[in-house]
Amino acid sequence: MRINLIGAGRLATNLGMALMGAGHKIETVYSRTLASADALAQRLGAVATTDLAEVCSEADVSIISVSDAALADVVAGVTKGRRQQTFLHTAGSMPMAVFEDHAEKYGVLYPMQTFSKERIVDFSEIPVFIEASDNAVMTSVELLASSISGNVRRLSTADRKYLHLAAVFACNFANHCYALAEQILAEHGLPFDVMLPLTDETARKVHVLSPRKAQTGPAVRYDENVIDMQARLLEEHPEMRDIYLQMSQSIHKLSK
């Protein structure tokens, strides 16, 4: 397929590399800043632009990977004069209905993964959740998604919102806990890499065990002596102390 990438951030970078690797032709890379558009366009052999009007009108599909706050405005801009082109967005929490009144053929291609520009992931292992405005578009989107991932699933906007919420807990909140651990260690002269064998094993365990069954630590049995002592260690960090206590209570409640 001939594809436009609307956005040049972390997701667009990884998606663009996967699409190119699957044999698709990236025509245009759009970004608000030329430096970002050009950096990705050069990697993909595409044309860079900061003007939505210059996005290739002959492409089969335009994939929009921008912030949720910018999505509606970008949709309104990029669909002008291209109503018959297929448009997809990649947002976990935004409805497919954002395209209504702007395009005839549209849908969602949501890869559920955390992305960085510096680390290109293997898309074949990423679950990709799709939605489409009609059966014909669904067939096209399914073919496109299947060219880069071996795990493609249809999912409605309503259910995708809960999937994204679960991902926030599993990824963003978990990573924030790593950041808090890093802060505690740094304050006492310890490097974060001492945690890596622990975090790696924690991640490996949930491949074979339910997260509830894999849970360990003082909160499972609610060992008040340990919990109270550790909470006192956080007296100079009241926000972190509150997180610790609430997490401990939640762990204990869920373990019952």
Side-chain angles (χ1 to χ4, degrees):
M1 289 187 183
R2 300 173 66 187
I3 299 170
N4 296 320
L5 285 181
I6 313 303
R10 292 170 292 183
L11 193 161
T13 297
N14 279 265
L15 181 57
M17 296 297 290
L19 290 166
M20 182 178 70
H24 300 286
K25 170 62 176 170
I26 311 302
E27 297 287 352
T28 315
V29 174
Y30 163 87
S31 180
R32 289 178 299 174
T33 62
L34 185 58
S36 294
D38 193 54
L40 181 55
Q42 286 190 36
R43 298 177 75 175
L44 301 176
V47 174
T49 184
T50 58
D51 186 351
L52 288 172
E54 294 180 356
V55 169
C56 179
S57 60
E58 303 301 318
D60 300 302
V61 58
S62 288
I63 302 177
I64 305 171
S65 299
V66 298
S67 69
D68 290 358
L71 183 59
D73 287 341
V74 170
V75 165
V78 77
T79 53
K80 287 181 180 178
R82 305 182 183 88
R83 289 181 65 89
Q84 291 303 313
Q85 195 176 86
T86 298
F87 296 91
L88 307 174
H89 77 63
T90 60
S93 58
M94 296 298 287
M96 182 174 67
V98 71
F99 291 111
E100 289 181 0
D101 302 325
H102 295 290
E104 302 295 331
K105 299 184 292 185
Y106 54 87
V108 177
L109 190 152
Y110 170 52
M112 194 185 68
Q113 182 57 281
T114 178
F115 296 103
S116 300
K117 287 185 180 181
E118 300 80 9
R119 179 179 168 83
I120 301 301
V121 299
D122 180 359
F123 240 89
S124 66
E125 299 178 350
I126 297 174
V128 177
F129 297 86
I130 60 174
E131 189 176 11
S133 54
D134 59 44
N135 289 335
V137 177
M138 178 62 82
T139 298
S140 177
V141 176
E142 208 153 30
L143 285 171
L144 178 62
S146 296
S147 73
I148 58 173
S149 172
N151 188 354
V152 178
R153 308 182 187 208
R154 299 183 182 189
L155 194 69
S156 68
T157 288
D159 288 334
R160 182 164 32 84
K161 289 179 179 178
Y162 287 99
L163 175 71
H164 188 248
L165 173 61
V168 168
F169 274 93
C171 175
N172 305 130
F173 288 178
N175 190 71
H176 182 62
C177 287
Y178 295 161
L180 295 179
E182 182 180 46
Q183 179 180 338
I184 292 170
L185 291 167
E187 289 176 357
H188 297 277
L190 293 166
F192 182 73
D193 62 17
V194 300
M195 290 285 125
L196 295 180
L198 176 64
T199 59
D200 289 347
E201 177 59 17
T202 301
R204 281 192 291 263
K205 277 203 297 187
V206 296
H207 283 263
V208 295
L209 292 174
S210 157
R212 288 178 63 179
K213 290 184 177 180
Q215 187 71 59
T216 61
V220 173
R221 58 189 179 274
Y222 215 75
D223 188 335
E224 292 190 50
N225 289 336
V226 175
I227 292 171
D228 289 346
M229 179 270 291
Q230 292 187 333
R232 286 195 298 274
L233 295 177
L234 294 169
E235 286 179 351
E236 294 183 8
H237 301 287
E239 187 176 71
M240 201 183 302
R241 179 179 180 275
D242 290 344
I243 292 171
Y244 174 87
L245 290 173
Q246 288 189 39
M247 288 282 280
S248 296
Q249 291 166 4
S250 181
I251 289 168
H252 182 63
K253 183 177 180 181
L254 197 61
S255 70
K256 286 184 176 180

